[in-house]
Amino acid sequence: QVHLVESGGRLVQAGGSLRLSCAASGRTFSSYSMGWFRQAPGKEREFVAAISRNGGITYYTDSVKGRFTISRDNAKNTVYLQMNSLKAEDTAVYYCAARPLITSAGIRDATKYDYWGQGTQVTVSS
């Protein structure tokens, strides 16, 4: 069982930056691949970024490549999402999620994640 708590979301102007954090409970954090997803009003939840268990491999959706960076600190049981050059279309509730799979197959698929946080609201004003 993994309990996830996101933080760091707030209102920011377009072009600004935010860093989201996701703190995980438990002593097996390093056994999980971690992902960030987002859901805007009236839209389906979509993949944003993911990171392998040791942090060596990262994945991004095309719309955030070059602007967002996912990282993790296994000693602190925390995964981060650094978001730069924010745009109005980045406005959404951001969720972190964990999956105990070794394979990268389905890493962009929300249904392949077992544990989810409650979400943190990011609002980008244009």
Side-chain angles (χ1 to χ4, degrees), residues 6-78:
E6 302 97 334
S7 61
R10 62 176 176 87
L11 173 66
V12 64
Q13 289 189 333
S17 298
L18 279 178
R19 188 176 81 157
L20 305 183
S21 299
C22 173
S25 65
R27 294 175 289 181
T28 59
F29 177 71
S30 60
S31 300
Y32 295 86
S33 299
M34 300 296 297
W36 284 97
F37 292 77
R38 65 186 180 187
Q39 187 166 19
K43 295 187 177 181
E44 292 188 353
R45 190 169 298 190
E46 66 170 350
F47 170 78
V48 176
I51 190 166
S52 61
R53 297 183 300 169
N54 66 0
I57 304 173
T58 57
Y59 309 83
Y60 298 94
T61 193
D62 286 347
S63 63
V64 308
K65 283 180 181 177
R67 299 190 298 123
F68 291 11
T69 302
I70 188 171
S71 62
R72 66 189 296 164
D73 185 337
N74 286 345
K76 295 183 178 179
N77 282 12
T78 303

Side-chain angles (χ1 to χ4, degrees), residues 71-87:
S71 62
R72 66 189 296 164
D73 185 337
N74 286 345
K76 295 183 178 179
N77 282 12
T78 303
V79 62
Y80 304 98
L81 186 67
Q82 177 67 44
M83 305 187 295
N84 299 328
S85 302
L86 283 161
K87 306 175 181 180

